């Protein structure tokens, strides 16, 4: 009995130590990140790098530390070191998307060449997959227009989602619902010419799924196709991104995968 009690006591002490160590590590990381960012703001780049390096030693998957380190190196004019720390982070963190985007910006080369050189996969963890294509739904504070959403998807080597079949439409609608959304914008727009709808990436149009009496151009700014909370059958509405459309919001879907463009520029009305 005494032996059993001793084993239990040792286990409890060990658990307490491990828990305390974990809490201490988290406090250490937070403290040094904040201190490093203060040094960065104060233009004290060398001390900032000391702090960020300590964070990486304790928490090698800390994306924030790699990004801040690269920022410090860039400010010092040491682009090679910035590239090196980003490459290190890309090999280590769970989702290296932001590191990859920053690296491409630093290299200033053709995006396709950089993606091929570094074997980048910019599809985030948790993306939905259908027929060899990947999809991810975003709601980002800084993305306030449809053009911003388009640019964001393209910065990740993707594009605003396109839909070419009933099956793909059903998959994508069910996917956004599974992620907790009922409205989301796709890549179909008539902003260039009212009533002439085209996929923003130039993809051939093979399928449309407007809800009855849509698109209705309820306002002059409803230029963007979307899944809409009112239409639980997955049909489409024309919305005003982050604007006047009731509960339209600014959620959008990025897609990754090959597609065909139509040289005849077919459009749908």
């Amino acid at each position: 009995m005494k032996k059993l009690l001793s084993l239990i006591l040792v286990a409890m002490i060990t658990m307490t130590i491990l828990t305390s160590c974990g809490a201490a590590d988290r406090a250490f990381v937070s403290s040094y990140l904040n201190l490093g960012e203060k040094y960065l703001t104060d233009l004290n780049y060398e001390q900032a790098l000391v702090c960020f390096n300590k964070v990486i030693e304790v928490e090698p998957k800390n994306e924030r530390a790699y990004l801040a380190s690269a920022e410090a190196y860039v400010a010092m004019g040491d682009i090679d070191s910035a590239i090196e720390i980003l490459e290190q982070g890309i090999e280590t963190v769970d989702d290296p998307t932001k590191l990859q985007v920053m690296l491409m910006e630093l290299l200033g080369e053709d995006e396709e060449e950089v993606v091929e050189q570094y074997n980048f996969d910019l599809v985030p963890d948790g993306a939905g997959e259908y027929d060899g294509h990947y999809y991810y739904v975003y709601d980002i504070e800084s993305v306030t227009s449809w053009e911003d959403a388009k640019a964001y998807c393209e910065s990740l080597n993707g594009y605003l989602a396109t839909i070419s079949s009933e099956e793909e439409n059903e998959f994508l609608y069910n996917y956004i619902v599974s992620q907790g959304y009922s409205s989301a914008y796709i890549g179909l727009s008539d902003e260039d010419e009212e009533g002439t709808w085209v996929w923003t990436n130039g993809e051939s149009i093979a399928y449309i799924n407007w809800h009855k009496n849509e698109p209705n151009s309820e306002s002059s700014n409803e230029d963007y196709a979307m899944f809409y909370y009112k239409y639980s059958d997955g049909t489409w509405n024309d919305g005003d991104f982050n604007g006047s459309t009731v509960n339209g919001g600014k959620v959008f879907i990025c897609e990754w995968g090959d597609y065909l463009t139509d040289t005849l520029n077919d459009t749908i009305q």
Side-chain angles (χ1 to χ4, degrees):
M1 185 65 177
K2 289 183 178 179
K3 184 176 181 181
L4 178 60
L5 289 173
S6 297
L7 289 173
I8 293 173
L9 181 60
V10 169
M12 291 176 65
I13 293 172
T14 301
M15 183 61 70
T16 300
I17 292 172
L18 290 174
T19 302
S20 299
C21 287
D25 285 347
R26 287 191 295 274
F28 175 92
V29 166
S30 178
S31 175
Y32 269 85
L33 274 174
N34 291 334
L35 182 59
E37 288 174 348
K38 183 181 184 304
Y39 280 132
L40 196 58
T41 301
D42 294 340
L43 310 184
N44 191 341
Y45 304 122
E46 292 184 358
Q47 286 301 314
L49 286 168
V50 169
C51 293
F52 298 140
N53 286 335
K54 288 182 180 295
V55 171
I56 292 171
E57 288 175 9
V58 174
E59 193 173 273
K61 293 188 175 185
N62 193 294
E63 172 199 70
R64 188 173 153 195
Y66 291 105
L67 288 169
S69 294
E71 184 180 345
Y73 281 124
V74 169
M76 296 169 67
D78 188 352
I79 303 301
D80 288 341
S81 293
I83 291 172
E84 185 178 342
I85 195 68
L86 288 170
E87 289 176 336
Q88 179 185 338
I90 288 166
E91 294 297 322
T92 309
V93 305
D94 293 327
D95 181 0
T97 302
K98 292 181 181 179
L99 302 177
Q100 292 168 337
V101 170
M102 186 175 184
L103 179 57
M104 285 192 290
E105 291 174 350
L106 284 182
L107 291 171
E109 299 174 9
D110 179 80
E111 182 176 291
E112 291 186 3
E113 292 181 5
V114 174
V115 170
E116 182 177 353
Q117 177 185 348
Y118 288 92
N119 194 28
F120 281 175
D121 181 0
L122 302 183
V123 180
D125 291 340
E129 189 272 333
Y130 173 80
D131 196 26
H133 284 224
Y134 293 88
Y135 310 82
Y136 199 84
V137 59
Y138 290 96
D139 184 7
I140 301 173
E141 184 176 351
S142 60
V143 174
T144 58
S145 70
W146 191 82
E147 288 76 14
D148 288 346
K150 176 179 178 292
Y152 187 85
C153 292
E154 291 173 355
S155 76
L156 301 179
N157 203 35
Y159 47 90
L160 276 170
T162 63
I163 301 174
S164 58
S165 69
E166 181 179 353
E167 293 76 16
E168 184 180 13
N169 190 82
E170 181 179 3
F171 165 82
L172 198 51
Y173 179 70
N174 289 334
Y175 166 70
I176 69 164
V177 171
S178 73
Q179 300 302 302
Y181 300 99
S182 55
S183 296
Y185 286 87
I186 56 179
L188 192 66
S189 169
D190 74 338
E191 66 175 352
D192 290 336
E193 182 179 346
E194 184 66 26
T196 300
W197 292 84
V198 297
W199 293 118
T200 184
N201 63 357
E203 184 170 343
S204 304
I205 293 174
Y207 173 80
I208 57 172
N209 193 35
W210 295 112
H211 191 76
K212 184 179 179 180
N213 298 322
E214 300 288 358
N216 62 12
S217 298
E218 193 170 273
S219 84
S220 60
N221 295 320
E222 289 196 336
D223 296 330
Y224 314 107
M226 65 184 303
F227 292 114
Y228 196 38
Y229 80 103
K230 289 183 178 181
Y231 307 148
S232 58
D233 58 355
T235 50
W236 306 343
N237 174 59
D238 58 328
D240 175 12
F241 192 102
N242 197 31
S244 61
T245 301
V246 177
N247 292 330
K250 58 185 186 65
V251 175
F252 62 97
I253 310 164
C254 291
E255 179 178 354
W256 294 263
D258 295 332
Y259 57 89
L260 297 176
T261 57
D262 193 332
T263 56
L264 297 179
N265 294 318
D266 285 349
T267 58
I268 56 177
Q269 306 298 320

